[in-house]
């Protein structure tokens, strides 16, 4: 299937050729054997064992469970898993209530991974179900493009646009509205990539560390899906994507909490970035990232899927974790790094990262003087923070407190 993306707010023209076979999102006929080997006999076994538990005893029997059942079908070939997915897609709401669309990529993956088990009637009913719920309504995708506007810098647009973009990849050629979703997703994320490369070449995210898990993570997952479905490769030659793991590593204090720059309300959610490292390192095989993934991103915490996690490391780990990537201690890295687009310098005396209750002994200093991009930024230019066994100066006032007075700022 070939889709020509014509006139749009940025006058971008591109031709997207979607591979005709299924599966095509993350799993393909080219890599399924290797994924099965890693899950059944290799490094992804802990992920697979937990996914199989979910698939064998679905806790909700709705769209939340569908990707796990579909993955179990791909790994085992057991058609009973696929039949459950098909029934879910035909009868359940494709949008998870109260989820704001963050997990609505699930029907896309489920449809793609179980496509070959569906009859033509199954496909017709499921696509009509998506249309009935306005999940493929172009009025929902196109006017929200806001390309080049504040949406490029706000997490909301990333996880909301991720869902129809993924469904566009899954259903390409099946319905004209799917083609609209495919085009809209491509235009938004292509523009986002250009912003990342031009403004944030060192891998930063503008809203603060916590919001990164609601934003750029979805872009990286989309780029990976686009690559497997179309061959379009955003990873090769990208400065932002190649450096984004270093942004995370340098911004973590010795007590294993986030940098206090920007809008941040959960300073301890370090493990939430596991999906970022899993996706990125499946491409770059960076030994520093592998060390950080294995030793500082808590696998045990995410072996069970928390309901709040929109793109959880359990499924992403089963797809992409590879223990054949060698580790390298970060002691070979510089002890200071300037992240230019974010306008922040991080300095540390070493890489002794402990826990919140038992922190490492190193000193950590951050200095911020950068541009204001969106409402999740703070008025905190010329702010600095010092950590040594505890905060030695006044810290960021936290989420929703952007005023300069709430920061340790030099006027």
């Amino acid at each position: 299937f070939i889709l020509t993306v014509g006139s749009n707010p940025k006058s971008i023209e591109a031709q997207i050729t979607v591979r005709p076979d299924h599966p095509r999102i993350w799993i393909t006929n080219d890599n399924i054997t290797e994924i099965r080997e890693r899950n059944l006999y290799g490094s992804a076994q802990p992920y697979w064992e937990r996914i199989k538990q979910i698939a064998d005893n679905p806790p909700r029997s709705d769209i939340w469970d569908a990707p796990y059942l579909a993955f179990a079908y791909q790994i085992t070939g057991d058609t009973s898993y696929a039949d459950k997915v098909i029934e879910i897609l035909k009868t359940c709401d494709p949008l998870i209530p109260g989820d704001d669309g963050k997990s609505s990529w699930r029907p896309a993956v489920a449809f793609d991974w179980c496509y070959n088990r569906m009859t033509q009637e199954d496909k017709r009913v499921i696509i009509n179900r998506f249309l009935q719920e306005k999940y493929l309504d172009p009025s929902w995708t196109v006017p929200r493009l806001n390309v080049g506007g504040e949406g490029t810098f706000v997490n909301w647009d990333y996880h909301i646009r991720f869902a129809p973009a993924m469904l566009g990849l899954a259903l390409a050629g099946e319905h004209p509205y799917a083609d609209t979703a495919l085009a809209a997703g491509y235009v938004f994320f292509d523009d986002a990539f250009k912003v990342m490369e031009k403004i944030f070449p060192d891998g930063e995210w503008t809203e603060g560390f916590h919001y990164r898990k609601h934003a750029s993570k979805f872009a990286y997952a989309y780029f990976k899906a686009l690559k497997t479905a179309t061959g379009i490769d955003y990873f090769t030659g990208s400065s932002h994507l190649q450096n984004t793991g270093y942004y995370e590593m340098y911004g973590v204090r010795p007590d294993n909490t986030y940098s206090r720059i920007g809008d941040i309300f959960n300073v301890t959610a370090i493990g939430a970035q596991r999906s970022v490292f899993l996706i990125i390192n499946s491409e770059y095989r960076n030994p520093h990232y592998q060390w950080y993934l294995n030793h500082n991103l808590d696998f045990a915490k995410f072996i069970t899927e928390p309901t709040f996690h929109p793109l959880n490391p359990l499924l992403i780990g089963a797809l992409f974790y590879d223990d054949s990537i060698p580790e390298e201690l970060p002691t070979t890295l510089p002890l200071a790094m300037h992240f230019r687009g974010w306008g922040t310098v991080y300095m540390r005396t070493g890489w002794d990262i402990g826990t919140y209750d038992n922190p490492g002994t190193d000193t950590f200093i951050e200095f911020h003087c950068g541009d204001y991009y969106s409402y999740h930024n703070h008025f905190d230019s010329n702010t600095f923070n010092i950590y040594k066994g505890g905060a030695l100066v006044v810290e960021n006032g936290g989420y929703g407190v952007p005023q300069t007075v709430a920061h340790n700022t030099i006027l």
Side-chain angles (χ1 to χ4, degrees), residues 70-129:
F71 187 78
Y73 169 57
Q74 285 295 323
I75 296 301
T76 65
D78 186 339
T79 56
S80 66
Y81 292 124
D83 292 341
K84 290 178 184 177
V85 171
I86 293 167
E87 187 63 25
I88 288 171
L89 292 176
K90 290 166 68 173
T91 60
C92 291
D93 187 342
L95 298 176
I96 297 177
D99 188 58
D100 295 332
K102 290 192 290 291
S103 288
S104 298
W105 56 273
R106 295 171 185 270
V109 169
F111 183 92
D112 178 53
W113 292 354
C114 294
Y115 182 92
N116 294 326
R117 178 64 179 170
M118 296 177 188
T119 65
Q120 287 300 118
E121 177 64 12
D122 290 334
K123 296 168 193 172
R124 185 192 68 81
V125 171
I126 291 167
I127 292 172
N128 283 340
R129 180 71 174 160

Side-chain angles (χ1 to χ4, degrees), residues 94 107 126-136 167 171:
I126 291 167
I127 292 172
N128 283 340
R129 180 71 174 160
F130 291 151
L131 292 169
Q132 180 184 356
E133 297 294 333
K134 295 187 180 299
Y135 194 55
L136 287 176
L167 204 61
L171 274 69

Side-chain angles (χ1 to χ4, degrees), residues 14-328:
Q15 193 174 73
I16 306 174
T17 303
V18 182
R19 62 187 297 160
D21 58 337
H22 293 266
R24 59 170 74 132
I25 295 178
W26 299 326
I27 298 174
T28 69
N29 291 325
D30 301 321
N31 67 17
I32 183 58
T33 299
E34 185 267 335
I35 291 174
R36 282 179 182 144
E37 288 292 319
R38 280 193 292 105
N39 277 268
L40 293 174
Y41 313 111
S43 57
Q45 268 188 295
Y47 296 95
W48 162 241
E49 289 169 359
R50 176 56 184 150
I51 288 173
K52 190 173 186 303
Q53 288 176 1
I54 295 172
D56 289 342
N57 296 283
R60 295 169 51 145
S61 296
D62 64 10
I63 202 65
W64 186 92
D65 297 322
Y68 305 104
L69 290 160
F71 187 78
Y73 169 57
Q74 285 295 323
I75 296 301
T76 65
D78 186 339
T79 56
S80 66
Y81 292 124
D83 292 341
K84 290 178 184 177
V85 171
I86 293 167
E87 187 63 25
I88 288 171
L89 292 176
K90 290 166 68 173
T91 60
C92 291
D93 187 342
L95 298 176
I96 297 177
D99 188 58
D100 295 332
K102 290 192 290 291
S103 288
S104 298
W105 56 273
R106 295 171 185 270
V109 169
F111 183 92
D112 178 53
W113 292 354
C114 294
Y115 182 92
N116 294 326
R117 178 64 179 170
M118 296 177 188
T119 65
Q120 287 300 118
E121 177 64 12
D122 290 334
K123 296 168 193 172
R124 185 192 68 81
V125 171
I126 291 167
I127 292 172
N128 283 340
R129 180 71 174 160
F130 291 151
L131 292 169
Q132 180 184 356
E133 297 294 333
K134 295 187 180 299
Y135 194 55
L136 287 176
D137 188 342
S139 68
W140 191 81
T141 58
V142 176
R144 286 186 52 82
L145 279 173
N146 191 26
V147 175
E150 190 180 55
T152 308
F153 302 105
V154 176
N155 69 89
W156 171 265
D157 278 288
Y158 284 77
H159 62 69
I160 289 297
R161 296 170 201 271
F162 179 65
M166 293 288 281
L167 204 61
L169 289 173
L171 274 69
E174 298 287 337
H175 194 281
Y177 284 1
D179 306 343
T180 301
L182 175 63
Y186 176 81
V187 170
F188 175 79
F189 284 107
D190 181 75
D191 183 76
F193 176 78
K194 289 179 172 65
V195 169
M196 292 173 181
E197 285 295 291
K198 185 173 182 178
I199 302 178
F200 306 116
D202 302 321
E204 313 95 299
W205 177 250
T206 177
E207 295 179 291
F209 272 90
H210 182 78
Y211 273 102
R212 184 165 176 259
K213 79 184 179 87
H214 297 302
S216 52
K217 174 176 65 178
F218 291 95
Y220 306 158
Y222 171 77
F223 296 151
K224 189 73 173 179
L226 192 69
K227 182 176 179 180
T228 58
T230 71
I232 296 174
D233 183 0
Y234 281 93
F235 294 94
T236 300
S238 167
S239 296
H240 174 89
L241 295 174
Q242 195 157 4
N243 290 328
T244 193
Y246 288 127
Y247 169 62
E248 167 91 7
M249 291 173 65
Y250 275 93
V252 171
R253 306 192 321 182
D255 63 348
N256 205 22
T257 66
Y258 284 130
S259 158
R260 300 306 198 265
I261 303 296
D263 220 354
I264 184 166
F265 62 89
N266 188 351
V267 297
T268 61
I270 303 296
Q273 297 300 345
R274 188 172 179 86
S275 291
V276 168
F277 277 77
L278 287 163
I279 294 168
I280 292 297
N281 226 29
S282 70
E283 291 288 332
Y284 296 114
R285 301 181 68 85
N286 183 316
H288 293 135
Y289 294 175
Q290 190 75 359
W291 172 86
Y292 190 80
L293 182 63
N294 288 340
H295 298 281
N296 204 53
L297 295 178
D298 186 2
F299 170 75
K301 181 179 180 181
F302 291 95
I303 194 65
T304 57
E305 156 130 337
T307 57
F308 64 79
H309 216 295
L311 188 62
N312 81 302
L314 179 57
L315 189 62
I316 298 300
L319 288 165
F320 302 123
Y321 181 68
D322 183 356
D323 67 354
S324 72
I325 301 172
E327 292 184 12
E328 183 177 341

